[in-house]
Amino acid sequence: MEVSADDRLDFGKMGYGCQHYRRRCRIRASCCNEIYPCRHCHNEASSVMSRPFDRHELNRFDVKQVVCAVCDTEQPVARVCTNCGVNMGEYFCEICKFFDDDIEKGQFHCEDCGICRVGGRENYFHCKKCGSCYSVNLRDNHSCIENSMQHHCPICYEFLFDTLKDVAVMKCGHTMHRECYFEMIKRDKYCCPICSKSVTDMSKAWKQLDEEIEATVMPEEYRHKKVWILCNDCNDTTEAYFHIIGQKCCHCQSYNTRAIAPPVLPQ
């Protein structure tokens, strides 16, 4: 029975791959000349090597050879196998050397990021200052920080720019993994680990502190004591009455403050 060209291209689709991607090829890592299902499999295997100096990561752009998972033929990177004619990836990016059969992820290559993203091109825009793709919901609706994604998650320390996990962009503009963000909130930590600004609306919490302070009378020797504070939310420096529960910023009404040394007046 003769097989059509289209049927041949689709042979084995979604039937091969690893925990990271469905694809009909494996890659040869140019750094160590070993074959892996994908670069993440390579990096995970490399990260647990007994000798620290042997640990390394695979640069996606350096991949030159792939091995067809259907016929086991090694060949230069291309979408279609030169031997058996199967499509090694329904989505294929020649720049990133990236293959994936599961196109429901909405893969697309961002020229500005220089790598492939998922989620659908129509749902993302590239913020030039932040240096990464963000949800269209954040267009003109986020604080820009230069290259905000070019750093590690402040909670788990995984590099964010090409992470496979969802990323949260906080009010201050800094970023972390979404799951790390919710874990932080669950532990009653409401400040950005990088800049200490409040990451959510704290107005109800500040009102509750107002009531607690009003109900808690300080001893006479502390009742009129003043301290200098720096507000982590508005960055203003001011003098406030000391209280054991907290010091309130008189400009933005935040209790996200810290005591500092008094300013040095010019002579």
Side-chain angles (χ1 to χ4, degrees):
M1 181 178 178
E2 188 175 342
V3 179
S4 70
D6 288 342
D7 288 341
R8 191 62 195 163
L9 286 171
D10 288 340
F11 180 82
K13 182 178 177 181
M14 298 294 291
Y16 298 85
C18 60
Q19 61 177 320
H20 305 107
Y21 304 114
R22 296 282 87 194
R23 51 169 59 170
R24 283 162 282 175
C25 67
R26 302 184 298 276
I27 60 174
R28 182 175 291 280
S30 54
C31 47
C32 54
N33 206 36
E34 298 290 338
I35 294 175
Y36 291 91
C38 74
R39 68 183 184 88
H40 297 294
C41 291
H42 167 276
N43 294 343
E44 288 172 2
S46 175
S47 67
V48 296
M49 287 182 172
S50 57
R51 296 194 302 177
F53 290 109
D54 288 337
R55 298 169 190 168
H56 61 283
E57 292 196 348
L58 172 61
N59 186 329
R60 74 190 78 199
F61 307 112
D62 289 342
V63 175
K64 299 292 189 295
Q65 295 287 116
V66 297
V67 178
C68 176
V70 176
C71 70
D72 212 32
T73 300
E74 185 166 351
Q75 58 203 280
V77 173
R79 182 173 201 157
V80 177
C81 175
T82 56
N83 181 55
C84 68
V86 301
N87 203 350
M88 292 188 284
E90 190 70 16
Y91 174 86
F92 170 66
C93 177
E94 190 173 7
I95 299 172
C96 296
K97 317 298 193 297
F98 178 52
F99 303 79
D100 198 348
D101 274 341
D102 185 7
I103 57 175
E104 290 187 3
K105 296 176 183 176
Q107 302 93 331
F108 65 96
H109 183 85
C110 174
E111 295 291 342
D112 292 310
C113 285
I115 62 174
C116 290
R117 299 287 190 190
V118 297
R121 189 185 299 275
E122 69 280 4
N123 298 318
Y124 289 85
F125 77 101
H126 186 88
C127 178
K128 297 285 187 181
K129 185 171 183 181
C130 295
S132 186
C133 286
Y134 284 168
S135 167
V136 292
N137 296 329
L138 292 175
R139 191 191 297 272
D140 303 322
N141 189 32
H142 71 284
S143 298
C144 283
I145 294 180
E146 191 167 357
N147 295 324
S148 63
M149 289 281 285
Q150 294 283 355
H151 67 87
H152 298 80
C153 173
I155 302 298
C156 70
Y157 214 63
E158 180 186 329
F159 193 59
L160 288 172
F161 183 70
D162 57 359
T163 181
L164 294 178
K165 302 174 184 176
D166 291 338
V167 173
V169 182
M170 293 175 283
K171 287 170 58 178
C172 58
H174 289 118
T175 53
M176 68 168 68
H177 287 126
R178 186 172 296 277
E179 62 183 35
C180 293
Y181 173 83
F182 287 122
E183 183 66 24
M184 181 180 75
I185 296 298
K186 190 169 73 174
R187 295 172 183 268
D188 298 328
K189 304 295 183 184
Y190 302 108
C191 296
C192 171
I194 299 172
C195 68
S196 296
K197 291 186 183 298
S198 299
V199 299
T200 188
D201 182 9
M202 299 294 292
S203 56
K204 289 184 179 179
W206 300 158
K207 185 176 180 181
Q208 184 177 349
L209 286 178
D210 281 339
E211 295 171 355
E212 288 182 19
I213 287 175
E214 187 176 353
T216 308
V217 180
M218 292 291 287
E220 183 63 33
E221 62 266 33
Y222 292 108
R223 198 165 298 170
H224 304 291
K225 176 181 171 64
K226 285 188 172 184
V227 293
W228 282 92
I229 59 171
L230 170 66
C231 178
N232 293 322
D233 286 338
C234 70
N235 294 324
D236 196 26
T237 301
T238 187
E239 198 174 17
Y241 283 107
F242 171 77
H243 199 284
I244 191 65
I245 293 177
Q247 282 69 238
K248 185 176 184 176
C249 173
C250 63
H251 295 279
C252 70
Q253 314 305 310
S254 169
Y255 279 97
N256 183 14
T257 62
R258 49 185 161 175
I260 58 173
V264 179
L265 299 176
Q267 299 294 328

